[in-house]
Amino acid sequence: MGITILSAASCVNREDRSAAVQADGFRYTADRFADIEVLRYRAPGFESLSLPQKQLLYHLSEAALMGRDILFDQNNRYNLAVRRALEAIYLNCRDERDTPDFEALEVYLKQVWFAGGIHHHYAEDKFVPAFTPAFFERCIRRLDKSLVPVRDGQTVDEWLAEIMPVIFRPEVMPKRTVQSGDGDLIAASANNYYGDGVTMAEVEAFYAALKDPDDSTPVSWGLNSRLVRENGTLVEKVWKTGGLYTQAIEKIVSELEKALAFAESDRQQAVISKLVEYYRTGDLKTFDEYSVLWVGDLDSDVDFVNGFIETYGDPLGRKASWEAIVNVINKEATRRTKIISDNAQWFEDHSPADSRFKKKEVKGVSAKVITAVMLGGDCYPATPIGINLPNSGWIRHLHGSKSVTIENITEAYDKASQGNGFNEEFMWSDAERALTRQYGFVTDNLHTDLHECLGHGSGVILPGVDPDGLRAYGSTLEEARADLFALYYLADKKLLELGLLSDAEAYKAEYYRYVMNGLMTQLVRIKPGKQIEEAHMRNRQLIARWVYEKGLPERIVELKRRDGKTYVVVNDYDGLRTLFGRLLAEVQRIKSEGDFEAGKQLVETYGVKVDRALHDEALARYAKLNLAPYRGFVNPALKEVRNSRGDVVDIVPDYTEDYASQMLRYGKDYSFLPTYN
């Protein structure tokens, strides 16, 4: 839908590793643990902004942090209890610090912080702690009871009996979100979007009854609520002030209201005011009104996303996680995205999709390159590299969409990957490595531009087709559609004519990287014996496996063995582009016609199952490089500078905070929800 996530092999390497870690005098690496590397990103140009712009960014950034607890609670109903208990042990049992159990608890806590809970942010599996139950229980009993997150009236003994299986028994709440299979996906998922005992059939029937087939501007039913059973009846607990999560939402609203005083225009002020109204009412029609205003605000240098937006975490693709990102435009880099958006109709007209599924008139497509200033909720610490919103189909059709590429994030990935040995280990030859060194960063960003600006905004759903009809497979297929659109056009001579690429061979860098990643290298993110769960990873394997299989007779893509290792080899780049076009046409048909069975077959056949032998090999080779397959970021700390009268005279970004310090500070300063909601 609305975001692009960096793949395991999206970063190029160029020079010495030590230079990459501290390139240009800036230290990018902030921490390393388990399978994760935490990086820093810079906000270049922040210092040259006007004071009102800095103050606007400051208050929007505070609003981006106020909802942190919401995501934890959405991911699992025990997440806040586990996080708060672990933090209490970490801060108050320091005499245990040199023990293996405490060191293991520290790693586990860092994983929980990173994933927004007890399940892996990508693989969806529950973490397995390396510390013992006896150690955890001993530390809990040593704490002052006020620090133990018990329920009202609950003893520590009763709390331990409830929480220990959640932490230590793998079979209890094993997966955060399950999005495939023929069983009840809600019952199989451990997230907190639905109440106990609510079944998938009941949810589908509940929301089907709300839909009006004649409504051409439908709201996104269920987007901002938890569906529960009360007295035998299904009811929605809406996330709003005065409703569920009110303690955090009130803080978000307060900061948004402070930001109003520094809005860059009346239009931006209207956007912020409408978002405040939505948070206060929980009315989804108001959310659509906000989205229309937001997509029409094209002149502001400062922009933001704040709210319940993306539905990847819901097994039915309906409930939205809370997320936030605050940014400022990169005017120089935006020239390329403006070229793309100005030519959106040409790209739509020349798509390989059937003419029935194309937009006759592309409206309101805008795109820009941004500098992230603050990340929050489901955008933090793991971060998108591109965003295209709103997700509502009718708003996109009538009012357009707004796309961004977050270039200071991709730059941080790039800098931190220099000289890490990945390309030398996995790429077939010096030819592919040379292409990647020369064009990898450029084509990777251009792929994101095309994916977000044009891919998500392309095509139409036929009249009468349910936009939610692809259900659990909708997210994967939508990401595949946008990726295929971008891949198809990366090789088009139109990009040379528009000056977006300078070499007709440049696209091959992204083609090779994409297929290599989809077939093999992204598997380093999956544990042995597991299948792929996350929508973006399913999308990439779906595409790579499909083109590999369909191209076998002509050997368009091969898996070759050399010196006991498997490599991806692309023999025919023109043929590969043709296959991308064929698959794009089919995925667009599935989307336009709402062909659930065809979509399900495509995802289950190509996107889910893992080649075990290739997986084991990739893991072994990757392990020798001592790299982390997942990355995320700490935020800069924005600090107000005041004069002797207490007036704010400047806002200064501080890049020195480490990962644990930031997480503990956030837990102290931005934690407003009760432990159990």
Side-chain angles (χ1 to χ4, degrees), residues 33 142 150 228 289 350 359 417 462 489 516 582 594 604:
F33 55 91
R142 289 179 55 193
V150 296
V228 304
E289 293 168 1
H350 291 81
K359 288 182 176 176
S417 297
L462 296 183
Y489 280 114
M516 179 186 72
R582 280 177 52 193
E604 293 287 354

Side-chain angles (χ1 to χ4, degrees), residues 37-58:
E37 183 178 28
V38 181
L39 305 176
R40 294 183 175 90
Y41 64 92
R42 287 188 290 191
F46 186 92
E47 295 78 8
S48 63
L49 298 172
S50 69
L51 180 57
Q53 285 178 313
K54 291 179 181 179
Q55 290 173 290
L56 175 61
L57 286 165
Y58 176 82

Side-chain angles (χ1 to χ4, degrees), residues 439-448 490 501 506-510:
Y439 297 117
F441 185 69
V442 171
T443 56
D444 206 15
N445 279 329
L446 191 53
H447 182 182
T448 303
L490 269 174
L501 288 176
Y507 78 93
K508 294 180 179 180
E510 183 68 3

Side-chain angles (χ1 to χ4, degrees), residues 268-413:
Q268 188 178 63
Q269 195 170 59
V271 171
I272 298 172
S273 296
K274 187 60 70 172
L275 180 58
V276 168
E277 181 185 347
Y278 164 61
Y279 270 133
R280 285 183 169 148
T281 64
D283 187 337
L284 288 169
K285 287 191 178 294
T286 303
F287 177 69
D288 284 348
E289 293 168 1
Y290 154 75
S291 298
V292 170
L293 289 172
W294 178 82
V295 81
D297 181 16
L298 303 178
D299 299 324
S300 299
D301 289 346
V302 173
D303 206 350
F304 71 103
V305 172
N306 188 302
F308 304 104
I309 310 293
E310 301 291 355
T311 60
Y312 298 103
D314 177 7
L316 301 187
R318 183 176 296 281
K319 306 292 181 183
S321 59
W322 187 84
E323 68 177 63
I325 183 168
V326 181
N327 61 83
V328 64
I329 191 171
N330 179 334
K331 292 183 178 180
E332 181 177 353
T334 293
R335 294 192 186 106
R336 75 167 187 267
T337 55
K338 187 177 187 305
I339 291 171
I340 292 171
S341 59
D342 285 348
N343 288 273
Q345 190 67 58
W346 184 93
F347 288 100
E348 182 77 2
D349 292 344
H350 291 81
S351 165
D354 189 286
S355 60
R356 295 179 300 142
F357 311 139
K358 296 181 185 181
K359 288 182 176 176
K360 301 300 183 283
E361 182 182 0
V362 178
K363 296 180 181 179
V365 174
S366 68
K368 59 184 176 181
V369 179
I370 63 169
T371 295
V373 174
M374 193 63 62
L375 310 167
D378 216 3
C379 293
Y380 168 87
T383 312
I385 58 172
I387 298 172
N388 177 273
L389 293 172
N391 287 326
S392 171
W394 72 263
I395 295 178
R396 299 168 74 89
H397 179 68
L398 295 179
H399 302 279
S401 61
K402 198 154 63 174
S403 305
V404 299
T405 299
I406 314 174
E407 195 154 299
N408 64 324
I409 295 296
T410 60
E411 179 187 34
Y413 280 128

Side-chain angles (χ1 to χ4, degrees), residues 58-60 62-63 66 251-259:
Y58 176 82
H59 290 295
L60 292 175
E62 287 293 291
M66 294 295 180
K251 298 291 186 180
I252 296 169
V253 166
S254 176
E255 290 299 329
L256 291 174
E257 289 178 327
K258 292 175 185 176

Side-chain angles (χ1 to χ4, degrees), residues 125-359:
D125 295 312
K126 193 166 75 171
F127 296 122
V128 178
F131 55 90
T132 66
F135 166 79
F136 179 78
E137 182 175 348
R138 182 174 75 249
C139 290
I140 287 294
R141 292 189 183 282
R142 289 179 55 193
L143 294 174
D144 185 289
K145 187 179 177 181
S146 65
L147 299 176
V148 182
V150 296
R151 299 180 186 274
D152 290 342
Q154 191 178 42
T155 67
V156 172
D157 284 344
E158 291 169 337
W159 182 82
L160 284 168
E162 182 180 6
I163 208 72
M164 295 283 274
V166 174
I167 297 175
F168 292 102
R169 288 175 55 186
E171 73 276 13
V172 176
M173 299 181 168
K175 298 190 79 67
R176 184 175 69 184
T177 304
V178 176
Q179 293 186 323
S180 63
D182 296 323
D184 190 311
L185 301 182
I186 292 176
S189 300
N191 56 43
N192 199 19
Y193 291 115
Y194 302 94
D196 287 342
V198 176
T199 68
M200 185 168 72
E202 288 177 315
V203 173
E204 291 178 335
F206 180 89
Y207 288 111
L210 295 177
K211 291 182 178 179
D212 178 356
D214 297 322
D215 187 357
S216 61
T217 60
V219 301
S220 301
W221 293 111
L223 189 74
N224 64 334
S225 67
R226 182 187 300 159
L227 189 64
V228 304
R229 195 189 319 279
E230 289 187 349
N231 301 318
T233 302
L234 291 180
V235 296
E236 288 188 309
K237 297 291 188 180
V238 179
W239 305 324
K240 63 174 183 174
T241 60
L244 197 56
Y245 301 145
T246 185
Q247 300 89 341
I249 294 174
E250 289 169 18
K251 298 291 186 180
I252 296 169
V253 166
S254 176
E255 290 299 329
L256 291 174
E257 289 178 327
K258 292 175 185 176
L260 280 171
F262 306 104
E264 296 178 282
S265 66
D266 291 342
R267 174 172 286 181
Q268 188 178 63
Q269 195 170 59
V271 171
I272 298 172
S273 296
K274 187 60 70 172
L275 180 58
V276 168
E277 181 185 347
Y278 164 61
Y279 270 133
R280 285 183 169 148
T281 64
D283 187 337
L284 288 169
K285 287 191 178 294
T286 303
F287 177 69
D288 284 348
E289 293 168 1
Y290 154 75
S291 298
V292 170
L293 289 172
W294 178 82
V295 81
D297 181 16
L298 303 178
D299 299 324
S300 299
D301 289 346
V302 173
D303 206 350
F304 71 103
V305 172
N306 188 302
F308 304 104
I309 310 293
E310 301 291 355
T311 60
Y312 298 103
D314 177 7
L316 301 187
R318 183 176 296 281
K319 306 292 181 183
S321 59
W322 187 84
E323 68 177 63
I325 183 168
V326 181
N327 61 83
V328 64
I329 191 171
N330 179 334
K331 292 183 178 180
E332 181 177 353
T334 293
R335 294 192 186 106
R336 75 167 187 267
T337 55
K338 187 177 187 305
I339 291 171
I340 292 171
S341 59
D342 285 348
N343 288 273
Q345 190 67 58
W346 184 93
F347 288 100
E348 182 77 2
D349 292 344
H350 291 81
S351 165
D354 189 286
S355 60
R356 295 179 300 142
F357 311 139
K358 296 181 185 181
K359 288 182 176 176

